[in-house]
Amino acid sequence: MSEMASSDHNADMLANKALRSGMKVSQRFGLLFGVLWCCARAAAVDAATPADLVEALDAALLRQPEAMNASDSLYPLSSGDAQDTRWLAAPPTLSAIYAASDRSWGTDETEVAVSLPLQSPEHRRRNERLRAIDPELAEAGQALRRWQFSGWLRDLYARHQRAVLARDLAEREVAALEDFATQASAQADAGSLPPYDLWVIRQELRAARARLAQQQAAVAGLDRSYASFTGLAAWPAAAGEPSMLPMNPHYAEHPQARFMEANQTQALAALRAGSASLTPWSVGLIGREFSMANSVERQYGVTLNIPIGGVDANESVSVRSSERAMRHQYLLQVDSWRADLRQRFSDLRAEREALLAERALLLADDAVRDLGRQLETLQLSAEIPIENKVQRRLTLLRARSRPDVLAVEIAAAEAQLRQLAGDSL
């Protein structure tokens, strides 16, 4: 019995050892898989650092799928259709007629005809004009796409600059409160500081750490958005925007204006090319057979139908009315767009001027330099209640970072001015 118990005990030990070994192996394989997965994710993001926002924009445009292409269309024609549509105004038609006589000496008639509706010279000219507009519309669409991507990247960069400043300020607040809490803890241990004051300082320190965690999460979220948008891991060291600011929006050369104009031109050309007043020419092949009691007669022929009269005379009232309505709607749209753009540009310039004036006032006197002395005086003061002392410390720290915050806001306003004016990166 003892031998059997010993053998069972040895078997249990071996089983447990094998189980532990298997768990270790699985853990190692799991760790290896995790490392490989992280490496694969890291490889999907380019680690290169762009010199400026222009390089980041180029990376974003290459990463995103093409929205418009001058050589492609949403509904491409086959090679056969492309050849046919240059000459045919409509699909060919086949007609067949059989008429039987009710007389024994009558004539039975059979007719087969093939009709080819051909585009008139004016119809072909309008279709060629419509095809010529497609590259212009695609080029305007590409310019509009780059301008839109520039706006998204400028906004993302400005938000990241604000978030980094807020994170740095939160780090300074935490560091200051940690030093304050260390000194207060030593004073409380020596009996020269009430426990309540130490509790207040520690509560403020917890709140500052929570703010720091939120700002770090905000920066990390913007980093992920930037990596997803551009495929790059590193932000450019500087925006690289030109120093000169546009004085007014580029109304005529603005990407939105160019696209609206090209879209309007394409719509009018499509309306004219599809006008019902463009009567097609028609070429027909006809075969007839007349069957009589003692004979059969066959006839073959060609028909040609050409409309007589000018295109202007045949132009329908509905087409002209539709052209005028489309043109009026376009002009109203452009006027509304220009008025809105003018107002937004003016408001943004006024906002930038206010930010510049505020920053100039802060840097002109000794207010920023006096903040350091005020911090030292606040540190040594024992007459100020602890709540006010902590809040004043945080207020002074935030006041010292105000010029940097204004610099970021001014740069963001200038980037928006360039965006509104129609300047792409």
Side-chain angles (χ1 to χ4, degrees), residues 87-103:
W87 295 99
L88 293 179
T93 59
L94 172 66
S95 62
I97 300 175
Y98 174 74
S101 175
D102 60 350
R103 303 284 183 174

Side-chain angles (χ1 to χ4, degrees), residues 106-108 289-298:
T107 302
D108 297 337
E289 180 181 278
F290 298 95
S291 178
M292 294 169 285
N294 299 321
S295 64
V296 175
E297 178 184 356
R298 293 184 177 87

Side-chain angles (χ1 to χ4, degrees), residues 18 24 26-27 29 42 45 80 84 116 133 178 182 210 216 234 257 260 268 314 348 351 356 375-376 393 399:
K24 290 181 179 179
S26 62
Q27 290 175 356
F29 275 107
V45 179
D84 293 341
L116 302 175
I133 295 174
E178 285 178 347
T182 300
Q216 289 173 340
M260 286 190 294
L268 287 175
N314 296 330
L348 193 56
E351 179 183 346
L356 286 172
L375 279 172
E376 295 177 0
R393 175 181 289 271

